Amino acid sequence: MTMLKFQNKNVLEFDLDNMYLKIWNKNFLPVVLRDALFEMPNSYDDSNTKKTVDEILKMDRQNIANMNYFFKNRVMSFSRTHAKQILNALLVDQFPDDQNIMRLMFLCKGLSIADDYWLTNNPDEKWEDVNLRENPLHTTLANVALWGITPPSITGEIRTPELTNQGSFAKAWKRNKDNGKLYLLKTSSNNKESEREVSVSNILNYTNVPHVRYYGKRIKNKYVSICENIVNSNRSIVTAHNLMSWCIRTQKDWVAETKKIDAKTFGKMLIVDFIVSNSDRHNGNWGFFMDANTGHLTQCHPLLDHNLAFNKETMHDKEGLQSLTFKWMTKYEAAKSALSYADFQINPEIPRDVFLQPSHAESFLKKCDMLGFKVKMISASSSVFNSFNRK
């Protein structure tokens, strides 16, 4: 039997090879699995004898499909930068089939920085034994993930968030030796993605948009963007993709559900993505905080992941091309619709030096003007830092 746990709470027990699945705590099921699973006793009881063999097999197939979907969306992308080196180090085949995905999940116990779910076959094992925020990380694998080095083979279970770290760019979690906090480091290609991430973070300092703070540093002759972990023992992250999957299954309107949770931050995101020409606001890099005491979604988490902002094609298109969030709208249409509920505010003066290139500043000014925000560029020496988000 395998137990999926949230911290020390038993959430879901399963043995898919033997058609067994028991829900221990439905309020703490991962959102993508809520209302998606059938309990399957490993011995027939009175309720099960009323079901036909075909009904039982159908339930089992749906359980397997939904569990595999959960793990597939939890594991790192096999096409991510340096994924090949990670898989080779762990002696895992590079084909992303169910078997290899599950192998990765069990190697790292499904642990992630984004939330407190984990897998165990040991009933005596505790969250305190595996919690990545409190226990040492596998630094060798972190270096493979960030720099692509080729180490000797790594065998056995490992404490690492790298196998569940989402996205396509080279990145890794590192612990600061001085303060003990976790930081995500992300490297650039020749297109200076990390520099753009830091630039947008600096721009957002002059707005009232809740956002993750990024700063840049040169390491091993590469520019790296760095941000602090925003998850703690009281809150986890749930991606918009997971909420949308639940909404489709339960026939709910995901836009209405999102606005019910946090309309203002959601609307601010749509406005920001238009004015900074973000070409990559997909449903895996925005989402919500989940209360670790109740399992409820409480608000949108701060805006993050800006390394594909100021995309040339997106800047040159007047309406910012198609929105990935609202696929039936352009980014301009989505941003304009958000003005009525977002309460977006921006400082009317922004220093030129927060932009990497003059073309970025020019595009930003034009798109702010389209939405009715009058902003002008000033020199860095005369700028006054805006305190919207300093707390």
Side-chain angles (χ1 to χ4, degrees), residues 234-264:
N234 294 313
R235 66 189 190 190
S236 292
I237 284 178
V238 174
T239 66
H241 168 80
N242 286 340
L243 178 70
M244 290 177 186
S245 296
W246 175 78
C247 286
I248 290 170
R249 187 165 53 252
T250 56
Q251 298 183 325
K252 296 183 185 297
D253 182 340
W254 73 263
V255 178
E257 293 297 318
T258 297
K259 288 182 178 179
K260 198 184 301 181
I261 297 166
D262 188 352
K264 288 186 177 181

Side-chain angles (χ1 to χ4, degrees), residues 102-257:
M102 289 304 294
R103 186 173 177 195
L104 287 178
M105 285 293 91
F106 280 101
L107 280 174
C108 71
K109 293 184 174 292
L111 288 162
S112 170
I113 296 295
D115 59 45
D116 292 348
Y117 290 105
W118 59 291
L119 299 167
T120 184
N121 302 111
N122 181 355
D124 296 324
E125 200 166 29
K126 302 297 182 185
W127 172 240
E128 292 74 19
D129 301 327
V130 300
N131 180 1
L132 294 175
R133 292 190 297 275
E134 304 297 333
N135 287 286
L137 304 183
H138 199 290
T139 55
T140 300
L141 196 66
N143 288 327
V144 176
L146 188 61
W147 307 116
I149 64 171
T150 304
S153 298
I154 300 170
T155 57
E157 289 184 354
I158 51 176
R159 299 291 179 268
T160 180
E162 304 312 327
L163 304 186
T164 54
N165 210 353
Q166 301 297 304
S168 59
F169 287 86
K171 62 185 73 174
W173 287 97
K174 299 274 190 174
R175 192 183 305 279
N176 184 292
K177 293 179 181 179
D178 296 325
N179 62 22
K181 294 180 179 180
L182 290 176
Y183 293 83
L184 181 65
L185 282 65
K186 192 187 304 183
T187 62
S188 267
S189 70
N190 293 331
N191 293 321
K192 297 187 175 182
E193 293 89 359
S194 294
E195 288 94 326
R196 281 184 274 171
E197 188 136 71
V198 174
S199 171
V200 172
S201 175
N202 290 333
I203 293 167
L204 293 182
N205 287 338
Y206 293 86
T207 73
N208 67 338
V209 179
H211 64 282
V212 171
R213 303 302 176 89
Y214 290 88
Y215 66 93
K217 185 177 181 181
R218 287 212 163 266
I219 304 174
K220 295 182 183 291
N221 205 31
K222 279 195 173 186
Y223 189 93
V224 177
S225 68
I226 304 171
C227 68
E228 186 179 339
N229 167 44
I230 59 173
V231 170
N232 57 43
S233 60
N234 294 313
R235 66 189 190 190
S236 292
I237 284 178
V238 174
T239 66
H241 168 80
N242 286 340
L243 178 70
M244 290 177 186
S245 296
W246 175 78
C247 286
I248 290 170
R249 187 165 53 252
T250 56
Q251 298 183 325
K252 296 183 185 297
D253 182 340
W254 73 263
V255 178
E257 293 297 318

Side-chain angles (χ1 to χ4, degrees), residues 4 95 97 112 124 127 162 172 184 200 212 217 256 285 288 292 295 302 319 340 354-355:
L4 175 67
F95 186 73
D97 59 15
S112 170
D124 296 324
W127 172 240
E162 304 312 327
L184 181 65
V200 172
V212 171
K217 185 177 181 181
N285 62 12
F288 312 89
E319 297 204 355
S340 62
V354 300
F355 295 88

Side-chain angles (χ1 to χ4, degrees), residues 229-389:
N229 167 44
I230 59 173
V231 170
N232 57 43
S233 60
N234 294 313
R235 66 189 190 190
S236 292
I237 284 178
V238 174
T239 66
H241 168 80
N242 286 340
L243 178 70
M244 290 177 186
S245 296
W246 175 78
C247 286
I248 290 170
R249 187 165 53 252
T250 56
Q251 298 183 325
K252 296 183 185 297
D253 182 340
W254 73 263
V255 178
E257 293 297 318
T258 297
K259 288 182 178 179
K260 198 184 301 181
I261 297 166
D262 188 352
K264 288 186 177 181
T265 306
F266 175 58
K268 288 171 185 174
M269 178 188 76
L270 298 174
I271 293 169
V272 168
D273 286 341
F274 172 64
I275 62 178
V276 304
S277 299
N278 186 356
S279 62
D280 192 42
R281 180 63 62 207
H282 56 78
N283 298 322
N285 62 12
W286 71 276
F288 312 89
F289 280 136
M290 185 185 88
D291 189 312
N293 298 305
T294 65
H296 296 157
L297 304 187
T298 58
Q299 65 189 85
C300 289
H301 65 65
L303 201 57
L304 48 76
D305 207 351
H306 322 293
N307 61 343
L308 292 180
F310 296 112
N311 169 270
K312 284 184 180 180
E313 291 76 13
T314 310
M315 282 195 298
H316 293 160
D317 186 89
K318 184 178 179 181
E319 297 204 355
L321 299 176
Q322 206 72 12
S323 168
L324 294 181
T325 306
F326 292 118
K327 294 180 172 59
W328 57 93
M329 292 184 180
T330 63
K331 288 186 178 66
Y332 169 68
E333 290 170 333
K336 189 175 181 181
S337 70
L339 291 175
S340 62
Y341 59 87
D343 186 31
F344 176 82
Q345 298 174 46
I346 186 168
N347 195 306
E349 296 182 341
I350 296 182
R352 288 186 181 278
D353 62 354
V354 300
F355 295 88
L356 291 178
Q357 299 175 15
S359 62
H360 295 184
E362 181 182 353
S363 171
F364 180 84
L365 289 175
K366 284 181 179 178
K367 292 185 174 178
C368 280
D369 187 64
M370 287 177 67
L371 294 177
F373 301 112
K374 303 302 180 184
V375 179
K376 70 176 183 179
M377 298 292 149
I378 58 175
S379 63
S381 59
S382 62
S383 67
V384 178
F385 183 74
N386 183 286
S387 60
F388 280 125
N389 282 296

